[in-house]
Amino acid sequence: RTLLWLGPVYLAGYLGLSGSWVLLGLALWLCWGRNRRWKRDRLAAAFALLEDEREAVCRGLAARHLPAWVHFPDVERVEWLNKVLVQAWPYFGTIMEKAFKEVLEPKIRAKNVHLKTCTFTKIHFGEKCPRINGIKAYTKEIDRRQVILDLQICYIGDCEIHMDISKFNLGVKGVQLYGTLRVILEPLLTDAPFIGAVTLFFMQKPHLEINWAGMSNLLDVPGINVMSDSLIQDFIAARLVLPNRITVPLKKNVNIAHLRFPIPHGVIRVYLLEAENLVQKDSFLGAIRGKSDPYALLRVGTVQYRSKTVSRDLNPIWNETFEFVVHEVPGQDLEVDLYDEDPDKDDFMGSLLISLVDVMNDRTVDEWFPLSKTTSGHLHLKLEWLSLVNDQEKLYEDKKGLPTAILIVYLDSAFNLPKNHFEYSNGECGAKKIKNNKYLKKMEREPSSFVLLTVGNKTQKSKTCNFSKDPTWGQAFTFFVHSAHSQSLHVEIKDKDRDSALGTSVVCLSHLLKDPNMTLDQRFQLDHSSSDSFIKMKLVLRALNVEEPDPQRVKAGVNASKQGPVHVVEKGGNQQKFVSPPKPEVSKVPPVSRDSAVLESLLKKDSREDLDTNESSAAPVPSETVAGLNEAECEHNPEHHLSSALHTRAAAAPTLPVVQELRLAPSVASLGSLPSSCFEFSSSSNLDLHNGTEMPLGEIQLTVRYASVRQSLVVLVNGCRNLIPPSNRGVDPYVRIYLLPDRRWSSRKKTSVKKKTLNPQYDEKFEFFESLEDVKKRTLDIAVKNSRPFISQERKELGKVRIDLSQEDLIKGFAQW
């Protein structure tokens, strides 16, 4: 073994090579060894989790290894199903061994001449079977004739598969696979087997890690390992990752075409506008901080776009637009990652995750979103949900150059493709001259064909069907269309081995407009091919419609600052009407923060009976506006401020605001690092707004929810309004938080101090890292205090509120004044 190690050194000297070659080889060997050790350690850690899940969770393994039911409460444990898999795994392994020998091995040998000696020498699927860490069942926003399940798959296998190719031994010894597998059972039937078909696909690319054996160990060499892993993941994505699906019919005569290729739910249009306060990643001499060169990666499923790079700017402006086809809702999210472009390795600057279900419900979102996994930074996005409608009037040509329609191509099959291929160039077709017998034998084979589909400047390629004149592809493709009246679909069938055209076809999209459903499902004659050569396709054209937001829907975040109709209930009757809020001449409303999620939008009549009818029938005045007027008046007449504030309380009492329907902006929900970016809150929460006194001491706006991913209670202090000052000197308020019964000074949370204001805006987040069971037993004690001078006789505490967390739905969360 020592002689083998020294052999390359001697060979380098014998050939007169530089010593740097020896150092390079040594460095590659060290990196390869390190990668191998890392893989073994990760595999050992995963096996430890598999052996004793409880002990591994207590030790605190990496979050990726933790089961899904730890992170998300709506994911259910299915240990009974895992026990069934353990019992059935040996029988499944026997079936797979037989399939490898009788089905896969002949197919590999037929692929290439050099693979004719391929033989599987050992096939053993091991003792470790796949685990299902949790199942989430969807019961809302789906068709009643279907069942949707999300399975958290975790396979840490000790399988061992070896094969010999020309005396070279290749093999796999251990596999790790993590991913979310969606299972759709539809349609539900009234007779056995009660389910028409089963559809399977991964929502995102699964994480795959392979421990190689034999000559395959060379794939762990740095540089090669990344490429080999990505090739395998791309191979899986081309067959099992959305929008690709596997549909297995369970009942005869069930049409599974529409199940394999359903029409997408819609299109999300993303306006990447700007960012601000990004972190500084570039540095000079390791100490002097410079600016960054930010760019953004936007991703929905397997589709990813990259923005342009803005040089040396921490507040970049992009103003770019991207469109994504959304195939599954719920399930798909918009992921945005910011990076600093560098010559060697780009630095991560923050990320953002937005649930597309919320965008679909809100239709239009224009927000500043705080970036997660970083210290600072906000991203300004405008999101539009485009529904797919069958309306030809919507197929206008957009003046801004944006697409106005989507073309869905279901590529089925082709018939009677010619054996003798043709070359198509400059509109002419001619047979290629036969030069020798070798070429003649090659022409006699059946073609291995694939299809190139082109609309505008975008071309997509199908998979390759080997050695068949009647290939069946069974794939779906989507194209964005800017002008349906003038654009065309260009189809070209090519032979992989000969790289020449077997036939072409051009379909004008205007032909689809003649059909009321804007659909064509037929065979198309191939040009420059045999006279009886056809290709079968189904073409569906749908217009992109930007729906207007619902005016009755409660706005949140930045959108909440836009004045809309205010819901008012008139006294003495059940009729309701919408009254626009009055615009005061002087209004110094505190600016709405980008991170503050909630703003009151519905006003309700107070139930106090000691107020006369004239006061209650007056036009409602929003409390923010009243507070702004009071603050402006205080600047001119400080002595009169206290009495005017008390008078304002009495006047505004009939319209004391309560939150009746609320949806939080993604910027607030991202505090918990959850995939879902919105949550709902009902007015059923019984919070003490008056502190038990007849005269309210002011209001504080809080957002509270339990972040399951971080295992923490998140409290967002948005702001206060209408505080009562203890003296004419003014007030410098701050907020103090305890999670009772813990009153230790070290566990106290405190906001910053806002100077000389009765309507402070904080937008500060605090976290209490406790389990959900412990939090349910606690009480949240929140006090607004005055930062008074030293040895001052002024009242320090301005008001207090306590929230019994056992009475609240913390997973759903709530937000209220």
Side-chain angles (χ1 to χ4, degrees):
R1 184 177 298 178
T2 305
L3 289 176
L4 288 176
W5 288 349
L6 295 177
V9 181
Y10 172 79
L11 185 62
Y14 180 78
L15 297 177
L17 299 178
S18 171
S20 58
W21 287 97
V22 179
L23 296 177
L24 179 61
L26 181 63
L28 288 176
W29 179 77
L30 291 175
C31 292
W32 172 80
R34 186 179 63 176
N35 285 346
R36 295 288 299 169
R37 287 192 298 273
W38 281 356
K39 275 195 174 182
R40 290 195 189 98
D41 293 342
R42 288 195 294 268
L43 195 61
F47 276 133
L49 175 65
L50 200 63
E51 293 293 339
D52 192 344
E53 184 179 33
R54 181 178 297 275
E55 182 182 354
V57 170
C58 294
R59 283 204 312 264
L61 288 175
R64 184 184 67 193
H65 296 140
L66 293 179
W69 55 267
V70 176
H71 298 303
F72 308 107
D74 53 353
V75 176
E76 302 173 11
R77 299 187 65 180
V78 284
E79 288 306 310
W80 63 271
L81 184 54
N82 289 322
K83 293 176 181 178
V84 173
L85 290 176
V86 170
Q87 291 294 101
W89 183 247
Y91 302 94
F92 175 79
T94 303
I95 296 174
M96 291 302 297
E97 290 173 14
K98 185 178 180 181
F100 268 67
K101 293 292 293 183
E102 298 180 0
V103 179
L104 186 59
E105 188 176 290
K107 286 187 176 182
I108 295 177
R109 289 180 175 180
K111 283 283 186 180
N112 196 291
V113 178
H114 303 289
L115 300 177
K116 285 186 176 181
T117 60
C118 172
T119 304
F120 285 99
T121 58
K122 183 177 182 179
I123 302 175
H124 178 58
F125 278 83
E127 304 297 329
K128 310 296 182 183
C129 70
R131 277 185 57 84
I132 299 177
N133 286 334
I135 291 182
K136 180 177 181 180
Y138 291 91
T139 58
K140 298 179 180 179
E141 299 181 355
I142 63 172
D143 191 354
R144 295 191 62 181
R145 293 193 62 191
Q146 66 176 190
V147 176
I148 297 181
L149 303 173
D150 279 350
L151 279 65
Q152 309 291 335
I153 300 295
C154 171
Y155 177 48
I156 306 158
D158 56 348
C159 63
E160 194 169 354
I161 302 174
H162 293 269
M163 71 177 177
D164 288 341
I165 301 177
S166 301
K167 298 182 179 180
F168 291 101
N169 181 265
L170 307 174
V172 173
K173 191 175 181 179
V175 174
Q176 294 188 56
L177 178 69
Y178 307 92
T180 301
L181 180 69
R182 173 158 290 190
V183 180
I184 301 179
L185 310 176
E186 67 172 334
L188 301 181
L189 307 175
T190 56
D191 55 344
F194 307 111
I195 298 172
V198 178
T199 303
L200 307 171
F201 55 88
F202 281 100
M203 298 298 299
Q204 306 285 348
K205 279 186 180 181
H207 172 79
L208 178 66
E209 196 165 325
I210 300 176
N211 192 26
W212 300 104
M215 291 292 293
S216 305
N217 277 327
L218 295 176
L219 296 177
D220 282 334
V221 174
I224 300 179
N225 62 339
V226 177
M227 183 176 63
S228 62
D229 292 345
S230 62
L231 286 175
I232 295 173
Q233 290 185 359
D234 291 342
F235 179 80
I236 296 175
R239 288 157 177 81
L240 283 173
V241 179
L242 198 67
N244 305 296
R245 306 163 186 250
I246 292 180
T247 302
V248 181
L250 301 182
K251 188 177 178 63
K252 294 181 180 180
N253 302 325
V254 174
N255 183 17
I256 64 173
H258 71 283
L259 300 179
R260 291 189 62 193
F261 311 114
I263 294 179
H265 282 255
V267 172
I268 180 72
R269 178 173 290 163
V270 182
Y271 296 89
L272 178 64
L273 301 177
E274 56 185 325
E276 69 173 12
N277 298 328
L278 299 182
V279 293
Q280 299 174 343
K281 289 294 184 179
D282 293 339
S283 60
F284 303 98
L285 302 177
I288 304 175
R289 284 289 185 180
K291 293 186 177 181
S292 301
D293 306 319
Y295 68 90
L297 292 179
L298 299 94
R299 181 169 52 256
V300 173
T302 57
V303 180
Q304 177 174 291
Y305 294 112
R306 171 175 171 164
S307 72
K308 63 184 179 182
T309 302
V310 180
S311 300
R312 298 180 58 77
D313 196 347
L314 298 179
N315 300 286
I317 298 177
W318 288 287
N319 289 330
E320 295 185 71
T321 307
F322 307 93
E323 283 92 12
F324 296 92
V325 179
V326 182
H327 296 275
E328 282 294 318
V329 175
Q332 288 193 288
D333 300 317
L334 171 64
E335 303 172 60
V336 183
D337 295 326
L338 294 186
Y339 288 92
D340 170 32
E341 187 176 47
D342 288 325
D344 48 356
K345 183 180 179 181
D346 296 344
D347 297 320
F348 178 74
M349 302 180 68
S351 63
L352 185 63
L353 186 69
I354 300 175
S355 173
L356 297 183
V357 177
D358 306 317
V359 181
M360 181 181 67
N361 294 332
D362 293 338
R363 300 175 184 174
T364 301
V365 177
D366 190 350
E367 294 283 349
W368 280 91
F369 298 94
L371 297 174
S372 59
K373 302 178 184 178
T374 185
T375 56
S376 67
H378 287 77
L379 186 63
H380 188 190
L381 297 177
K382 182 182 178 182
L383 309 174
E384 290 181 347
W385 178 263
L386 309 177
S387 56
L388 308 184
V389 296
N390 184 14
D391 187 359
Q392 296 188 14
E393 296 181 358
K394 302 290 184 179
L395 296 175
Y396 58 90
E397 187 169 352
D398 192 87
K399 297 180 180 180
K400 300 180 180 179
L402 299 175
T404 58
I406 185 174
L407 175 67
I408 307 163
V409 181
Y410 302 104
L411 178 63
D412 188 358
S413 56
F415 307 93
N416 298 320
L417 294 181
K419 284 186 179 180
N420 300 327
H421 69 284
F422 296 95
E423 288 184 342
Y424 175 62
S425 177
N426 298 326
E428 298 179 359
C429 179
K432 187 176 181 69
K433 296 181 180 179
I434 302 175
K435 295 184 178 179
N436 48 42
N437 293 332
K438 181 178 179 181
Y439 189 77
L440 180 61
K441 292 180 181 178
K442 191 175 182 181
M443 289 183 62
E444 292 176 353
R445 288 189 327 200
E446 299 289 344
S448 299
S449 55
F450 63 90
V451 182
L452 294 178
L453 303 164
T454 305
V455 175
N457 57 0
K458 183 178 181 180
T459 300
Q460 299 189 53
K461 180 181 177 181
S462 72
K463 65 182 182 182
T464 301
C465 293
N466 293 314
F467 312 125
S468 175
K469 67 175 183 178
D470 299 321
T472 300
W473 294 283
Q475 289 181 275
F477 305 89
T478 56
F479 297 90
F480 288 107
V481 178
H482 294 80
S483 176
H485 297 85
S486 59
Q487 287 188 281
S488 302
L489 169 67
H490 296 262
V491 182
E492 184 178 16
I493 304 179
K494 303 191 74 174
D495 189 352
K496 180 189 70 172
D497 297 328
R498 304 161 189 135
D499 195 23
S500 55
L502 300 175
T504 62
S505 179
V506 179
V507 182
C508 295
L509 301 186
S510 57
H511 293 167
L512 279 78
L513 303 180
K514 300 177 182 179
D515 186 83
N517 294 323
M518 293 194 290
T519 303
L520 286 180
D521 188 2
Q522 65 183 52
R523 292 184 178 185
F524 296 89
Q525 173 74 46
L526 288 175
D527 299 328
H528 311 100
S529 186
S530 301
S531 58
D532 57 348
S533 297
F534 296 89
I535 184 171
K536 185 179 180 181
M537 298 184 298
K538 181 180 179 180
L539 309 180
V540 179
L541 186 67
R542 290 292 180 265
L544 301 180
N545 181 39
V546 183
E547 298 183 6
E548 294 295 329
D550 188 358
Q552 298 183 10
R553 185 174 181 82
V554 178
K555 296 180 180 180
V558 173
N559 287 338
S561 62
K562 302 176 182 178
Q563 287 192 352
V566 180
H567 199 163
V568 180
V569 181
E570 290 188 349
K571 188 172 182 178
N574 297 325
Q575 297 180 351
Q576 298 179 353
K577 67 178 182 178
F578 290 94
V579 182
S580 299
K583 297 182 180 180
E585 298 179 0
V586 181
S587 178
K588 299 182 67 176
V589 182
V592 179
S593 171
R594 292 163 185 157
D595 290 341
S596 65
V598 191
L599 195 70
E600 74 169 73
S601 62
L602 301 178
L603 298 179
K604 185 180 179 181
K605 176 177 67 77
D606 190 20
S607 61
R608 296 193 296 175
E609 299 179 354
D610 56 341
L611 298 173
D612 58 23
T613 308
N614 294 333
E615 288 182 339
S616 61
S617 62
V621 180
S623 56
E624 287 90 345
T625 305
V626 174
L629 291 171
N630 290 341
E631 192 172 347
E633 186 179 356
C634 176
E635 296 178 1
H636 298 285
N637 191 359
E639 298 179 356
H640 184 66
H641 180 74
L642 181 59
S643 60
S644 62
L646 295 177
H647 177 74
T648 303
R649 304 281 164 177
T655 58
L656 184 66
V658 296
V659 181
Q660 294 184 344
E661 181 187 357
L662 188 61
R663 291 197 63 83
L664 267 184
S667 58
V668 175
S670 60
L671 297 175
S673 302
L674 288 176
S676 176
S677 61
C678 293
F679 63 87
E680 297 181 354
F681 168 74
S682 173
S683 62
S684 60
S685 295
N686 185 19
L687 299 184
D688 183 14
L689 296 180
H690 294 265
N691 259 348
T693 61
E694 296 181 0
M695 186 62 62
L697 303 178
E699 293 176 305
I700 182 170
Q701 188 185 36
L702 300 174
T703 301
V704 182
R705 81 167 294 170
Y706 189 80
S708 302
V709 175
R710 298 175 56 82
Q711 294 289 296
S712 67
L713 178 70
V714 180
V715 179
L716 178 66
V717 181
N718 292 31
C720 302
R721 64 184 179 188
N722 301 334
L723 299 177
I724 296 181
S727 67
N728 295 336
R729 192 187 62 85
V731 61
D732 301 331
Y734 69 92
V735 180
R736 184 269 301 148
I737 305 175
Y738 280 126
L739 189 59
L740 300 181
D742 189 0
R743 284 185 173 275
R744 292 176 300 168
W745 182 86
S746 58
S747 61
R748 182 187 64 167
K749 309 295 183 183
K750 176 183 173 183
T751 67
S752 59
V753 178
K754 301 299 181 180
K755 298 290 186 180
K756 299 295 185 293
T757 177
L758 298 175
N759 300 278
Q761 290 287 328
Y762 297 103
D763 299 320
E764 297 185 32
K765 181 189 73 170
F766 303 97
E767 290 185 88
F768 296 90
F769 292 93
E770 302 284 349
S771 65
L772 181 59
E773 291 75 14
D774 292 339
V775 170
K776 280 286 188 180
K777 304 174 184 177
R778 314 287 282 272
T779 300
L780 202 61
D781 181 74
I782 299 173
V784 181
K785 297 193 174 186
N786 179 25
S787 180
R788 59 183 183 177
F790 184 63
I791 318 181
S792 173
Q793 299 299 322
E794 295 179 4
R795 178 165 56 91
K796 183 175 183 181
E797 190 170 283
L798 302 179
K800 179 190 293 186
V801 61
R802 286 188 178 179
I803 303 173
D804 186 2
L805 299 179
S806 63
Q807 305 299 322
E808 303 295 336
D809 185 358
L810 298 179
I811 297 300
K812 194 175 181 180
F814 64 88
Q816 186 168 334
W817 282 96

